[in-house]
Each structure stands twice: as structure tokens, then as C-alpha cells.
Amino acid sequence: MGMSAAAQFHVLAVDDSLIDRMLIERLLKTSSFHVTTVDSAIKALQYLGMVEDKLKGYETPEIHQESNSLKDIPVVIMSSENVPSRINRCLEDGAEEFFLKPVQQSDVNKLKPHLLKSRSKEEEETQPINNNKRKQESSAPFNKNSYKIKI
Amino acid sequence: MEVGQMQRQWIDYTRSLFIEGFLDAQFLQLEQLQDDNNPDFVVEVVSLFFQDSHKLLNDLTVALDQKSVDFKMVDAHVHQLKGSSSSIGAQRVKNCCIAFRNLCEEQNIDGCLKCLHQVKQECCLVKNKLETLFRLEQQIMAAGGSIPLMELSF
């Protein structure tokens, strides 16, 4: 296929419904995204390295916000509930888009412009790359060009 | 039966499922996501739905059988069933769930019990319909044919 790591965007999809995870994964893969799915917000934070990996059930996770790059990850919310006040609140709190479930191909098509925008913003940055990012790029499939989808 | 006949049968059967409201456009989305690399996608998702719904319906039966019904929990289960039925395009099940949630909000036990019965029936119906559809598909494939492309144009 010849797709370079730089060209492929990685999406982290979060949904507690297995059926919806299967659907969103197929939808995204059809659009050539690299996809990781998790079934909870905690697992999403663990995947992003923002909380400790091994948490016991009763422990409250502490969120580490060391890596600046993580807070630049665009977030899209998906929900089956069409509640305008809630949707507006999500958008005001920083979500890029809101998708009403069931998510359609046309929704997924809206993602790339956001990702291309954030990628070109990065390329403008002249800050030196920190060790954190270098480590991420060599070990995990995760790269900075991630899009997190939440329920 | 030769392939062409089977394919026409498939088309007619599929069309009837849409006309009768068992399925909606979301089911077509599922079919579009199936390809040579994921040839069993629709069957897998649908099977998962029926496993899931079976459990949810049992949980709902138990929840509504309690002396003091926890309507929040009932609503949570119905919400989940509504979500998954909507995701696979099982329209009649989804619509039943919508009515069900309203009854939960009203804390109407009798209404909920009637609705539960109806949802169970609808799940059973759509399950049989889809099993028939998948059987037809298997017969077509076994005879060397391919499944026609379905478009909603009626």
C-alpha cells in the first residue's frame, strides 16, 4: 500500500458498546485510519499515558499532563442522545465535532480536515522535539496525529 | 433453484424487510462496510446484537419483576438496547425501545411490562427474518453467485 507513518492518522475510539466499537472501527478503517478501540474513559487515559496503567478498582486516577502534545489531540464526541444543551456544552468545552449515533460514513469524512489542520499547525512549530515525543514515536504505534472519539 | 432466481428472491425478501419496517437505512450502512477483507462483518455484528439483546431482555425481565422496581436501571438497559438496535438498523426494535423509555420515565410498570413483551417479540421477529436472509445469502454464494447490491429507492 505504501502508506507512510506520516500520512496515516491514528484514531482512539472510546465506546462501552462492543457493537458500536466494531462499527466505528470498520468505518474508520474504510477511510484508511489506523484505529485503536477501548471500552472506557479510564482505558483511554491509560492508553494515552495520562494515568497509571495498573490501577486497582478503588484507586482514583491522577491525570498527568506532562506532554503538551496530548492536549492538542482533537476530540470528537459521539452520542445516541440528541440533547442540544449537552451537545453545545461539548463543543464549548473544546470538542471539534459532535456525531449523532449511529455514526455514518459522512461523519467520518468530516474528520480529515481537522486532522490536516492540526498537522499543519504542528509543522509550523519551531519548538525542539522533547524526549517524550521521541520515545512515543519509536515504541508505540500511537503518534501525535491522533483523534480521540468519545461517547 | 438457479442463481438468478435465488438472487431475485433475495432482492424481494430484502425489500420486504425495509417496507415492513424491520430494517432501516443503517442496515445498508453495515452491508457497505462488508468487503472481501471482512466478508462476515454483517453476520458478526448481527450475531453480537442478538447475544447482547438476549442478555438485556433477561435483565429487564428480572428488573421489572422486583417488588420495588429500579426504573433507573430499567431505563439504562433499554437505553443500551435502543443504541445497539439502532446501530444495526433494527428499526422496529429501536422504536419499541423509544416507547419503553417513555414508560420508564412515567414509572408505569404495567406499560413497561407490555413494552417488554413487545420488544421481545420484535427481537424474535427480526432475528428470524435476518436468519432467513443470511441463509439465502449462503445459498447464493454456495451456488457460485454474488449478493446483489441493494439500494433504497422505494
Side-chain angles (χ1 to χ4, degrees):
Chain A
M1 221 167 40
M3 197 174 279
S4 66
Q8 205 180 26
F9 293 111
H10 188 175
V11 177
L12 176 64
V14 188
D15 200 316
D16 59 2
S17 156
L18 176 54
I19 288 171
D20 289 344
R21 282 199 301 281
M22 280 177 77
L23 270 180
I24 197 70
E25 184 175 27
R26 274 272 67 229
L27 267 172
L28 291 167
K29 282 185 170 167
T30 300
S31 295
S32 305
F33 287 100
H34 177 157
V35 188
T36 299
T37 60
V38 292
D39 65 13
S40 71
I42 283 291
K43 291 206 180 125
L45 294 174
Q46 286 170 336
Y47 184 84
L48 294 169
M50 290 172 87
V51 300
E52 292 305 318
D53 271 344
K54 292 182 177 64
L55 275 180
K56 297 192 186 63
Y58 53 83
E59 288 182 314
T60 314
E62 254 181 61
I63 299 180
H64 311 305
Q65 290 200 302
E66 295 157 353
S67 179
N68 276 327
S69 62
L70 290 175
K71 76 169 166 50
D72 290 332
I73 299 174
V75 176
V76 165
I77 306 288
M78 312 185 282
S79 174
S80 57
E81 312 259 81
N82 195 352
V83 180
S85 56
R86 215 189 285 163
I87 295 171
N88 286 328
R89 166 86 186 278
C90 287
L91 296 172
E92 281 162 18
D93 283 349
E96 299 291 337
E97 293 269 0
F98 177 89
F99 296 159
L100 198 59
K101 283 172 161 186
V103 179
Q104 311 282 299
Q105 191 64 59
S106 53
D107 293 317
V108 171
N109 294 341
K110 291 183 194 167
L111 297 177
K112 288 217 165 125
H114 290 291
L115 288 161
L116 290 169
K117 200 170 61 183
S118 76
R119 172 169 278 169
S120 63
K121 204 171 79 171
E122 260 166 56
E123 283 164 0
E124 279 168 24
E125 274 170 20
T126 53
Q127 290 288 346
I129 298 169
N130 61 36
N131 280 326
N132 224 348
K133 186 192 166 201
R134 219 178 274 134
K135 190 172 89 173
Q136 279 175 2
E137 280 177 345
S138 60
S139 56
F142 170 81
N143 62 41
K144 272 176 59 175
N145 300 306
S146 284
Y147 216 167
K148 190 172 99 164
I149 299 188
K150 239 180 85 76
I151 46 160
Chain B
M1 206 189 290
E2 48 94 34
V3 174
Q5 241 181 308
M6 286 194 272
Q7 285 171 327
R8 275 189 298 278
Q9 197 178 39
W10 183 91
I11 290 175
D12 288 339
Y13 194 69
T14 303
R15 195 176 272 142
S16 74
L17 294 181
F18 284 97
I19 290 177
E20 289 164 27
F22 286 103
L23 299 177
D24 62 29
Q26 179 61 17
F27 188 77
L28 291 181
Q29 278 272 328
L30 284 191
E31 291 193 324
Q32 278 169 25
L33 290 173
Q34 185 162 288
D35 58 22
D36 291 335
N37 292 326
N38 301 272
D40 302 316
F41 180 70
V42 180
V43 171
E44 278 171 16
V45 176
V46 168
S47 304
L48 207 60
F49 169 73
F50 287 117
Q51 277 171 38
D52 210 36
S53 60
H54 181 76
K55 180 167 190 308
L56 282 169
L57 290 170
N58 281 340
D59 291 343
L60 279 167
T61 307
V62 169
L64 284 170
D65 200 32
Q66 302 303 306
K67 276 215 174 80
S68 172
V69 174
D70 180 353
F71 282 102
K72 254 190 157 171
M73 181 163 72
V74 173
D75 184 69
H77 289 322
V78 178
H79 172 73
Q80 210 180 320
L81 187 58
K82 175 177 155 256
S84 52
S85 59
S86 164
S87 291
I88 70 157
Q91 190 176 249
R92 278 160 62 150
V93 175
K94 177 189 79 172
N95 289 340
C96 243
C97 290
I98 292 173
F100 203 150
R101 290 194 82 192
N102 290 334
L103 292 162
C104 279
E105 225 179 282
E106 296 166 19
Q107 307 216 341
N108 180 343
I109 295 197
D110 278 340
C112 283
L113 285 168
K114 284 202 180 84
C115 234
L116 176 60
H117 179 72
Q118 218 180 330
V119 172
K120 282 178 178 173
Q121 274 192 318
E122 291 297 346
C123 280
C124 206
L125 278 170
V126 76
K127 184 163 188 258
N128 288 339
K129 299 282 182 183
L130 286 171
E131 279 171 354
T132 302
L133 188 69
F134 294 148
R135 233 184 348 261
L136 271 172
E137 287 180 3
Q138 277 171 347
Q139 285 166 1
I140 293 172
M141 308 284 277
S146 60
I147 313 301
L149 282 169
M150 194 72 197
E151 274 171 27
L152 268 184
S153 55
F154 43 83

Short mmCIF file of all heavy atoms in Angstrom, two decimals, chain A residues 16-20 22-30 79-82 86 101-106, chain B residues 26 29-30 32-35 37-38 41 44-45 48-50 52 79-80 82-84 86-88 101:
data_model
loop_
_atom_site.label_atom_id
_atom_site.label_comp_id
_atom_site.label_asym_id
_atom_site.label_seq_id
_atom_site.Cartn_x
_atom_site.Cartn_y
_atom_site.Cartn_z
N ASP A 16 -18.48 2.16 25.22
CA ASP A 16 -18.69 0.99 26.07
C ASP A 16 -19.50 -0.10 25.35
O ASP A 16 -19.65 -1.20 25.88
CB ASP A 16 -19.34 1.37 27.41
CG ASP A 16 -20.68 2.07 27.23
OD1 ASP A 16 -21.13 2.24 26.08
OD2 ASP A 16 -21.27 2.45 28.25
N SER A 17 -20.02 0.20 24.18
CA SER A 17 -20.79 -0.81 23.45
C SER A 17 -19.90 -1.53 22.44
O SER A 17 -19.32 -0.90 21.55
CB SER A 17 -21.96 -0.13 22.71
OG SER A 17 -22.38 -0.91 21.62
N LEU A 18 -19.81 -2.84 22.56
CA LEU A 18 -18.97 -3.62 21.65
C LEU A 18 -19.42 -3.46 20.20
O LEU A 18 -18.61 -3.31 19.29
CB LEU A 18 -18.98 -5.10 22.06
CG LEU A 18 -18.23 -6.08 21.16
CD1 LEU A 18 -16.78 -5.64 20.95
CD2 LEU A 18 -18.25 -7.48 21.76
N ILE A 19 -20.73 -3.47 20.01
CA ILE A 19 -21.26 -3.32 18.65
C ILE A 19 -20.83 -1.98 18.05
O ILE A 19 -20.37 -1.92 16.91
CB ILE A 19 -22.81 -3.43 18.67
CG1 ILE A 19 -23.19 -4.88 18.93
CG2 ILE A 19 -23.42 -2.95 17.35
CD1 ILE A 19 -24.66 -5.09 19.18
N ASP A 20 -20.95 -0.94 18.85
CA ASP A 20 -20.56 0.38 18.34
C ASP A 20 -19.07 0.48 18.11
O ASP A 20 -18.61 1.18 17.20
CB ASP A 20 -21.05 1.48 19.29
CG ASP A 20 -22.57 1.66 19.22
OD1 ASP A 20 -23.17 1.16 18.24
OD2 ASP A 20 -23.15 2.29 20.12
N MET A 22 -17.19 -2.02 17.12
CA MET A 22 -16.96 -2.73 15.85
C MET A 22 -17.31 -1.84 14.67
O MET A 22 -16.59 -1.79 13.68
CB MET A 22 -17.84 -3.99 15.78
CG MET A 22 -17.29 -5.15 16.56
SD MET A 22 -18.41 -6.57 16.49
CE MET A 22 -18.11 -7.20 14.86
N LEU A 23 -18.42 -1.16 14.80
CA LEU A 23 -18.89 -0.28 13.72
C LEU A 23 -17.93 0.86 13.45
O LEU A 23 -17.57 1.13 12.31
CB LEU A 23 -20.25 0.32 14.09
CG LEU A 23 -21.47 -0.48 13.67
CD1 LEU A 23 -22.72 0.25 14.11
CD2 LEU A 23 -21.48 -0.62 12.15
N ILE A 24 -17.55 1.55 14.50
CA ILE A 24 -16.71 2.72 14.34
C ILE A 24 -15.34 2.30 13.81
O ILE A 24 -14.73 3.00 12.98
CB ILE A 24 -16.62 3.59 15.63
CG1 ILE A 24 -16.08 4.99 15.33
CG2 ILE A 24 -15.74 2.97 16.70
CD1 ILE A 24 -17.05 5.87 14.56
N GLU A 25 -14.88 1.14 14.27
CA GLU A 25 -13.59 0.66 13.79
C GLU A 25 -13.63 0.40 12.29
O GLU A 25 -12.74 0.81 11.55
CB GLU A 25 -13.21 -0.63 14.54
CG GLU A 25 -11.84 -1.14 14.16
CD GLU A 25 -11.41 -2.35 14.99
OE1 GLU A 25 -12.30 -3.08 15.45
OE2 GLU A 25 -10.21 -2.55 15.13
N ARG A 26 -14.68 -0.27 11.82
CA ARG A 26 -14.81 -0.56 10.39
C ARG A 26 -14.95 0.72 9.58
O ARG A 26 -14.34 0.90 8.53
CB ARG A 26 -16.04 -1.44 10.11
CG ARG A 26 -15.84 -2.90 10.23
CD ARG A 26 -15.36 -3.64 8.99
NE ARG A 26 -14.03 -3.32 8.56
CZ ARG A 26 -13.71 -3.01 7.32
NH1 ARG A 26 -14.63 -2.97 6.38
NH2 ARG A 26 -12.48 -2.74 7.02
N LEU A 27 -15.77 1.62 10.09
CA LEU A 27 -15.98 2.90 9.41
C LEU A 27 -14.67 3.65 9.24
O LEU A 27 -14.37 4.19 8.17
CB LEU A 27 -16.93 3.80 10.22
CG LEU A 27 -18.41 3.75 9.89
CD1 LEU A 27 -19.20 4.53 10.93
CD2 LEU A 27 -18.68 4.30 8.50
N LEU A 28 -13.90 3.69 10.32
CA LEU A 28 -12.63 4.42 10.29
C LEU A 28 -11.61 3.72 9.40
O LEU A 28 -10.89 4.37 8.63
CB LEU A 28 -12.08 4.59 11.71
CG LEU A 28 -12.87 5.53 12.61
CD1 LEU A 28 -12.44 5.36 14.07
CD2 LEU A 28 -12.67 6.98 12.18
N LYS A 29 -11.56 2.40 9.50
CA LYS A 29 -10.58 1.66 8.69
C LYS A 29 -10.89 1.79 7.21
O LYS A 29 -9.98 1.85 6.39
CB LYS A 29 -10.52 0.19 9.12
CG LYS A 29 -9.72 0.00 10.39
CD LYS A 29 -9.55 -1.46 10.77
CE LYS A 29 -8.52 -1.57 11.90
NZ LYS A 29 -8.52 -2.90 12.52
N THR A 30 -12.17 1.84 6.88
CA THR A 30 -12.57 2.04 5.48
C THR A 30 -12.02 3.35 4.95
O THR A 30 -11.75 3.49 3.76
CB THR A 30 -14.11 2.03 5.38
OG1 THR A 30 -14.59 0.80 5.86
CG2 THR A 30 -14.58 2.22 3.95
N SER A 79 -22.72 10.41 20.45
CA SER A 79 -23.76 10.01 21.39
C SER A 79 -25.04 9.67 20.64
O SER A 79 -25.28 10.18 19.55
CB SER A 79 -24.03 11.13 22.40
OG SER A 79 -25.12 10.80 23.23
N SER A 80 -25.86 8.82 21.24
CA SER A 80 -27.14 8.50 20.62
C SER A 80 -28.21 9.51 21.05
O SER A 80 -29.31 9.54 20.52
CB SER A 80 -27.58 7.10 21.03
OG SER A 80 -27.64 7.02 22.42
N GLU A 81 -27.87 10.34 22.04
CA GLU A 81 -28.85 11.29 22.57
C GLU A 81 -28.71 12.64 21.90
O GLU A 81 -27.62 13.25 21.88
CB GLU A 81 -28.64 11.47 24.08
CG GLU A 81 -28.50 10.16 24.84
CD GLU A 81 -29.78 9.77 25.53
OE1 GLU A 81 -30.68 9.23 24.86
OE2 GLU A 81 -29.88 10.04 26.73
N ASN A 82 -29.81 13.12 21.37
CA ASN A 82 -29.81 14.39 20.67
C ASN A 82 -30.28 15.50 21.61
O ASN A 82 -31.42 15.96 21.53
CB ASN A 82 -30.75 14.28 19.45
CG ASN A 82 -30.54 15.42 18.48
OD1 ASN A 82 -29.82 16.36 18.78
ND2 ASN A 82 -31.17 15.32 17.33
N ARG A 86 -26.56 19.64 25.80
CA ARG A 86 -25.38 18.82 26.06
C ARG A 86 -24.39 18.91 24.91
O ARG A 86 -23.17 18.99 25.11
CB ARG A 86 -25.80 17.36 26.27
CG ARG A 86 -24.95 16.64 27.29
CD ARG A 86 -25.23 15.19 27.32
NE ARG A 86 -26.48 14.86 27.97
CZ ARG A 86 -27.11 13.69 27.83
NH1 ARG A 86 -26.60 12.77 27.07
NH2 ARG A 86 -28.24 13.46 28.46
N LYS A 101 -25.26 9.23 16.91
CA LYS A 101 -25.21 7.82 16.52
C LYS A 101 -26.52 7.40 15.90
O LYS A 101 -27.58 7.90 16.29
CB LYS A 101 -24.98 6.96 17.76
CG LYS A 101 -23.57 6.96 18.28
CD LYS A 101 -23.62 6.20 19.61
CE LYS A 101 -22.30 5.70 20.05
NZ LYS A 101 -22.45 4.86 21.25
N PRO A 102 -26.55 6.41 15.01
CA PRO A 102 -25.37 5.69 14.54
C PRO A 102 -24.52 6.55 13.60
O PRO A 102 -25.04 7.26 12.74
CB PRO A 102 -25.95 4.48 13.78
CG PRO A 102 -27.36 4.82 13.50
CD PRO A 102 -27.80 5.87 14.46
N VAL A 103 -23.21 6.45 13.83
CA VAL A 103 -22.27 7.26 13.07
C VAL A 103 -22.26 6.79 11.60
O VAL A 103 -22.31 5.60 11.31
CB VAL A 103 -20.86 7.15 13.68
CG1 VAL A 103 -19.86 7.97 12.89
CG2 VAL A 103 -20.89 7.63 15.12
N GLN A 104 -22.20 7.75 10.69
CA GLN A 104 -22.23 7.44 9.26
C GLN A 104 -20.88 7.71 8.61
O GLN A 104 -20.07 8.44 9.16
CB GLN A 104 -23.26 8.35 8.56
CG GLN A 104 -24.60 8.41 9.23
CD GLN A 104 -25.41 7.18 8.94
OE1 GLN A 104 -25.73 6.91 7.78
NE2 GLN A 104 -25.74 6.41 9.95
N GLN A 105 -20.73 7.18 7.41
CA GLN A 105 -19.52 7.44 6.64
C GLN A 105 -19.32 8.94 6.45
O GLN A 105 -18.19 9.44 6.51
CB GLN A 105 -19.64 6.74 5.27
CG GLN A 105 -18.35 6.72 4.46
CD GLN A 105 -17.27 5.92 5.15
OE1 GLN A 105 -17.41 4.75 5.43
NE2 GLN A 105 -16.18 6.58 5.44
N SER A 106 -20.42 9.65 6.23
CA SER A 106 -20.33 11.10 6.00
C SER A 106 -19.79 11.83 7.23
O SER A 106 -19.11 12.84 7.11
CB SER A 106 -21.69 11.67 5.62
OG SER A 106 -22.65 11.30 6.59
N GLN B 26 -29.70 2.13 8.18
CA GLN B 26 -28.48 1.79 8.89
C GLN B 26 -28.00 0.38 8.52
O GLN B 26 -26.80 0.11 8.48
CB GLN B 26 -28.69 1.91 10.41
CG GLN B 26 -27.50 1.56 11.26
CD GLN B 26 -26.27 2.43 11.00
OE1 GLN B 26 -26.35 3.50 10.43
NE2 GLN B 26 -25.11 1.94 11.41
N GLN B 29 -25.84 0.56 5.65
CA GLN B 29 -24.51 1.03 6.05
C GLN B 29 -23.63 -0.15 6.45
O GLN B 29 -22.46 -0.25 6.09
CB GLN B 29 -24.61 1.98 7.26
CG GLN B 29 -24.98 3.39 6.94
CD GLN B 29 -23.76 4.26 6.64
OE1 GLN B 29 -22.68 4.05 7.18
NE2 GLN B 29 -23.93 5.22 5.77
N LEU B 30 -24.24 -1.06 7.22
CA LEU B 30 -23.50 -2.25 7.67
C LEU B 30 -23.01 -3.04 6.47
O LEU B 30 -21.87 -3.49 6.41
CB LEU B 30 -24.40 -3.18 8.49
CG LEU B 30 -24.78 -2.84 9.92
CD1 LEU B 30 -25.44 -4.06 10.55
CD2 LEU B 30 -23.56 -2.46 10.74
N GLN B 32 -22.48 -2.01 3.50
CA GLN B 32 -21.43 -1.28 2.77
C GLN B 32 -20.07 -1.42 3.44
O GLN B 32 -19.04 -1.26 2.80
CB GLN B 32 -21.79 0.19 2.67
CG GLN B 32 -22.76 0.48 1.53
CD GLN B 32 -23.32 1.87 1.59
OE1 GLN B 32 -22.71 2.79 2.15
NE2 GLN B 32 -24.49 2.06 1.03
N LEU B 33 -20.07 -1.73 4.74
CA LEU B 33 -18.80 -1.87 5.45
C LEU B 33 -18.20 -3.26 5.26
O LEU B 33 -17.09 -3.52 5.68
CB LEU B 33 -19.00 -1.58 6.95
CG LEU B 33 -19.28 -0.14 7.29
CD1 LEU B 33 -19.63 0.01 8.76
CD2 LEU B 33 -18.09 0.75 6.95
N GLN B 34 -18.99 -4.15 4.67
CA GLN B 34 -18.51 -5.50 4.44
C GLN B 34 -17.76 -5.52 3.12
O GLN B 34 -18.19 -4.90 2.15
CB GLN B 34 -19.71 -6.45 4.38
CG GLN B 34 -19.33 -7.91 4.25
CD GLN B 34 -20.51 -8.79 4.65
OE1 GLN B 34 -20.84 -8.89 5.82
NE2 GLN B 34 -21.12 -9.43 3.67
N ASP B 35 -16.61 -6.17 3.09
CA ASP B 35 -15.89 -6.29 1.82
C ASP B 35 -15.14 -7.62 1.82
O ASP B 35 -15.33 -8.44 2.70
CB ASP B 35 -14.94 -5.10 1.61
CG ASP B 35 -13.93 -4.95 2.73
OD1 ASP B 35 -13.65 -5.95 3.45
OD2 ASP B 35 -13.42 -3.83 2.91
N ASN B 37 -12.17 -8.26 2.52
CA ASN B 37 -11.30 -8.45 3.68
C ASN B 37 -12.11 -8.71 4.95
O ASN B 37 -11.59 -9.19 5.95
CB ASN B 37 -10.41 -7.23 3.90
CG ASN B 37 -9.40 -7.07 2.78
OD1 ASN B 37 -8.92 -8.06 2.25
ND2 ASN B 37 -9.10 -5.83 2.42
N ASN B 38 -13.37 -8.32 4.93
CA ASN B 38 -14.24 -8.51 6.09
C ASN B 38 -15.57 -9.10 5.62
O ASN B 38 -16.61 -8.46 5.70
CB ASN B 38 -14.52 -7.16 6.78
CG ASN B 38 -13.26 -6.48 7.25
OD1 ASN B 38 -12.80 -6.71 8.37
ND2 ASN B 38 -12.68 -5.66 6.39
N PHE B 41 -18.69 -9.50 8.15
CA PHE B 41 -18.92 -8.39 9.07
C PHE B 41 -20.37 -8.27 9.52
O PHE B 41 -20.66 -8.17 10.71
CB PHE B 41 -18.46 -7.07 8.42
CG PHE B 41 -18.65 -5.88 9.31
CD1 PHE B 41 -17.88 -5.71 10.45
CD2 PHE B 41 -19.62 -4.92 9.04
CE1 PHE B 41 -18.06 -4.62 11.29
CE2 PHE B 41 -19.82 -3.82 9.86
CZ PHE B 41 -19.02 -3.67 10.99
N GLU B 44 -21.45 -11.08 11.78
CA GLU B 44 -20.81 -10.96 13.10
C GLU B 44 -21.50 -9.92 13.97
O GLU B 44 -21.82 -10.17 15.13
CB GLU B 44 -19.33 -10.56 12.93
CG GLU B 44 -18.43 -11.72 12.62
CD GLU B 44 -17.01 -11.27 12.24
OE1 GLU B 44 -16.65 -10.10 12.49
OE2 GLU B 44 -16.29 -12.09 11.67
N VAL B 45 -21.74 -8.76 13.39
CA VAL B 45 -22.36 -7.69 14.17
C VAL B 45 -23.78 -8.06 14.57
O VAL B 45 -24.20 -7.85 15.72
CB VAL B 45 -22.37 -6.36 13.37
CG1 VAL B 45 -23.11 -5.29 14.15
CG2 VAL B 45 -20.96 -5.90 13.09
N LEU B 48 -23.79 -10.62 17.32
CA LEU B 48 -23.44 -9.96 18.56
C LEU B 48 -24.65 -9.25 19.15
O LEU B 48 -24.90 -9.28 20.36
CB LEU B 48 -22.35 -8.94 18.26
CG LEU B 48 -21.40 -8.58 19.38
CD1 LEU B 48 -20.67 -9.83 19.83
CD2 LEU B 48 -20.39 -7.56 18.88
N PHE B 49 -25.41 -8.62 18.27
CA PHE B 49 -26.60 -7.91 18.71
C PHE B 49 -27.58 -8.87 19.39
O PHE B 49 -28.14 -8.57 20.44
CB PHE B 49 -27.30 -7.21 17.53
CG PHE B 49 -28.67 -6.70 17.90
CD1 PHE B 49 -28.81 -5.59 18.72
CD2 PHE B 49 -29.82 -7.37 17.49
CE1 PHE B 49 -30.06 -5.12 19.10
CE2 PHE B 49 -31.07 -6.91 17.87
CZ PHE B 49 -31.20 -5.80 18.67
N PHE B 50 -27.77 -10.03 18.79
CA PHE B 50 -28.74 -10.96 19.38
C PHE B 50 -28.25 -11.57 20.68
O PHE B 50 -29.04 -11.83 21.59
CB PHE B 50 -29.19 -12.01 18.35
CG PHE B 50 -30.09 -11.42 17.31
CD1 PHE B 50 -29.73 -11.38 15.99
CD2 PHE B 50 -31.30 -10.83 17.70
CE1 PHE B 50 -30.55 -10.79 15.04
CE2 PHE B 50 -32.12 -10.23 16.75
CZ PHE B 50 -31.75 -10.21 15.43
N ASP B 52 -26.30 -9.95 22.80
CA ASP B 52 -26.44 -8.79 23.66
C ASP B 52 -27.89 -8.58 24.09
O ASP B 52 -28.21 -8.39 25.26
CB ASP B 52 -25.96 -7.59 22.86
CG ASP B 52 -25.36 -6.53 23.72
OD1 ASP B 52 -24.70 -6.88 24.70
OD2 ASP B 52 -25.57 -5.34 23.41
N HIS B 79 -31.94 1.76 27.25
CA HIS B 79 -31.09 2.70 26.51
C HIS B 79 -30.03 1.95 25.72
O HIS B 79 -29.76 2.24 24.55
CB HIS B 79 -30.45 3.67 27.49
CG HIS B 79 -29.41 4.55 26.89
ND1 HIS B 79 -29.72 5.61 26.05
CD2 HIS B 79 -28.07 4.54 26.98
CE1 HIS B 79 -28.61 6.21 25.66
NE2 HIS B 79 -27.58 5.59 26.21
N GLN B 80 -29.46 0.93 26.35
CA GLN B 80 -28.43 0.13 25.70
C GLN B 80 -29.02 -0.65 24.52
O GLN B 80 -28.42 -0.69 23.44
CB GLN B 80 -27.85 -0.87 26.71
CG GLN B 80 -26.40 -1.22 26.42
CD GLN B 80 -25.84 -2.19 27.43
OE1 GLN B 80 -26.11 -2.09 28.62
NE2 GLN B 80 -25.07 -3.15 26.94
N LYS B 82 -31.70 0.11 22.86
CA LYS B 82 -32.07 1.09 21.84
C LYS B 82 -30.85 1.45 21.00
O LYS B 82 -30.90 1.52 19.77
CB LYS B 82 -32.65 2.34 22.49
CG LYS B 82 -32.96 3.46 21.50
CD LYS B 82 -33.59 4.66 22.18
CE LYS B 82 -33.33 5.92 21.37
NZ LYS B 82 -32.32 6.82 21.87
N GLY B 83 -29.73 1.66 21.69
CA GLY B 83 -28.48 2.01 21.00
C GLY B 83 -28.02 0.93 20.05
O GLY B 83 -27.71 1.19 18.89
N SER B 84 -27.99 -0.30 20.54
CA SER B 84 -27.48 -1.36 19.69
C SER B 84 -28.44 -1.69 18.54
O SER B 84 -27.99 -1.96 17.43
CB SER B 84 -27.11 -2.61 20.49
OG SER B 84 -28.18 -3.00 21.29
N SER B 86 -30.40 0.38 17.11
CA SER B 86 -30.25 1.50 16.17
C SER B 86 -29.00 1.33 15.34
O SER B 86 -28.99 1.59 14.13
CB SER B 86 -30.20 2.80 16.98
OG SER B 86 -29.71 3.84 16.20
N SER B 87 -27.94 0.85 15.96
CA SER B 87 -26.66 0.67 15.27
C SER B 87 -26.71 -0.39 14.19
O SER B 87 -25.93 -0.33 13.24
CB SER B 87 -25.55 0.32 16.26
OG SER B 87 -25.25 1.43 17.06
N ILE B 88 -27.57 -1.40 14.35
CA ILE B 88 -27.64 -2.41 13.29
C ILE B 88 -28.82 -2.18 12.34
O ILE B 88 -28.97 -2.91 11.37
CB ILE B 88 -27.69 -3.87 13.83
CG1 ILE B 88 -29.02 -4.18 14.52
CG2 ILE B 88 -26.50 -4.17 14.71
CD1 ILE B 88 -29.30 -5.69 14.54
N ARG B 101 -38.77 3.65 26.94
CA ARG B 101 -38.09 4.65 27.78
C ARG B 101 -39.08 5.69 28.31
O ARG B 101 -38.97 6.15 29.44
CB ARG B 101 -36.96 5.32 27.02
CG ARG B 101 -35.78 4.39 26.78
CD ARG B 101 -34.56 5.14 26.34
NE ARG B 101 -33.86 5.70 27.47
CZ ARG B 101 -32.88 6.60 27.38
NH1 ARG B 101 -32.52 7.04 26.20
NH2 ARG B 101 -32.28 7.05 28.44
#
